[in-house]
Structures are given as structure tokens and as C-alpha cells.
Amino acid sequence: MSTRTQNRLESDYGGITLEGRPHALSAWFVVALRLTMGGAFLGAGLGKFAFFAGEPFDASGYLMGAEGPVAGIYATMASNPAFMEFTNVVVPVTQVLIGLALITGAFVRLAALGGAMQMSMFYLGSWDVAGPLGFINSDFVYLVVFLAVAAFGAGRILGLDRYIEQLEVGGEALIDRYPKLRYLLG
């Protein structure tokens, strides 16, 4: 096994410079992180379908039981039947799509940002902030992991994004022709 390291992390933001040389195995753990989060979200989404769960998914109990800073907003949402029909479809479908995207490595940044948005909504709804550090719970950890997966461009490592970016469109690579796609792919 080769342990050569060509990786380099550098960032200069807000006058603070960070830099480092990650271990050669780091790329493998980025892939493992992407696959783990993909599997977790795919399983969560599939588990909400009546076919697997035995009964249809209903988010109203969660929304009505919210204790966080958005509890009132969530309770209002839960009292609207049209919103609940929408939510009961969108939550499991997006979780399945996020899971599949992360597992295949396609549109990883878009999927990871979608996962981070869901986790931030769960975090604000559950507001389980007990413990010595207060604000850190599993929802918050998932949120940060999704952001890390997006930041790493994890779809370019053993994922389909690496190939999607290079698809030829009008004689040039997709990512060169449409540079804004860098925010969705990677």
C-alpha cells in the first residue's frame, strides 16, 4: 500500500490561514464518510415508506412535539393538512434521493447541502441541547458531517461526479462550459 501524500489542505478565510497535509488514507475515509451518510439517509428514507414501515409516514407527531425555537412554526405547519400531505411525501423522497446521490457520488454537494438543511430543521425542532456542551447533539453532528462531505468534494473521489464534470458538451467539459455546476457537483 502506498502512503505517498500529494494531498494538501489550505484555506485563508477572515484573516485566518489553515493548512495541512492529510494522510494518504484520508481520501478513503472521505469516501467512507460519504457512503456512511448515504446509507444512513437511504435507510431513513426507505424506512418511512409504508412498504417498509407497514404504515404511512406522518411527520405531524414530530412537528407537534417540537420543543426548539421553531416549535410554534412547526405546530402551525402540522395543523395545515395540505402542508402535511406535502411534507409526508417530500421528507422520505428527499432522504432516499440524498442517500442515493451520496452512495453513487453524483451531485454530492447538492445532496449534502440538502441533508444539512434537513438536519438543521431537525436540530431546531428537537432542540435536545442537554449535556456538558449544550448545543451539540446527533442532529448537529450530522449537519456538520454533511457540510464536510460537501466541502471535500467527496463525489470526485470514487464517485460519479468526477465523470459527470468531464462530460463533453459543445466540445468542452461540462464543468468548464457551466462553471456554476461546481456548486452542485463534487
Side-chain angles (χ1 to χ4, degrees):
M1 168 173 44
S2 172
T3 57
R4 69 182 163 87
T5 301
Q6 296 180 13
N7 304 330
R8 183 157 176 77
L9 297 174
E10 295 179 35
S11 178
D12 187 10
Y13 190 75
I16 299 172
T17 301
L18 301 174
E19 58 183 289
R21 293 188 181 276
H23 191 277
L25 291 175
S26 298
W28 291 99
F29 284 99
V30 168
V31 171
L33 192 61
R34 189 190 83 218
L35 293 173
T36 300
M37 293 304 289
F41 249 55
L42 178 62
L46 290 175
K48 289 176 177 67
F49 284 101
F51 178 76
F52 294 103
E55 57 187 55
F57 172 66
D58 182 10
S60 63
Y62 176 81
L63 294 174
M64 291 299 292
E67 297 178 359
V70 295
I73 296 169
Y74 283 12
T76 301
M77 291 174 173
S79 66
N80 182 324
F83 180 81
M84 287 313 305
E85 280 187 46
F86 174 78
T87 301
N88 290 335
V89 171
V90 168
V91 169
V93 168
T94 56
Q95 287 181 343
V96 166
L97 291 175
I98 288 167
L100 290 172
L102 293 177
I103 289 169
T104 62
F107 297 94
V108 166
R109 283 207 170 114
L110 177 64
L113 292 175
M117 286 174 45
Q118 275 197 13
M119 295 316 301
S120 66
M121 294 178 76
F122 296 155
Y123 178 69
L124 292 172
S126 68
W127 207 243
D128 177 17
V129 292
L133 296 180
F135 65 93
I136 297 176
N137 66 16
S138 60
D139 295 331
F140 186 80
V141 171
Y142 273 114
L143 184 148
V144 172
V145 170
F146 273 123
L147 293 175
V149 167
F152 278 124
R156 293 185 184 114
I157 308 169
L158 201 62
L160 294 179
D161 278 346
R162 175 184 211 150
Y163 303 102
I164 294 170
E165 289 180 342
Q166 298 308 314
L167 290 174
E168 197 167 300
V169 177
E172 58 186 322
L174 177 71
I175 203 75
D176 293 332
R177 185 166 181 106
Y178 304 104
K180 290 186 179 181
L181 284 177
R182 291 182 199 278
Y183 299 108
L184 303 177
L185 300 167

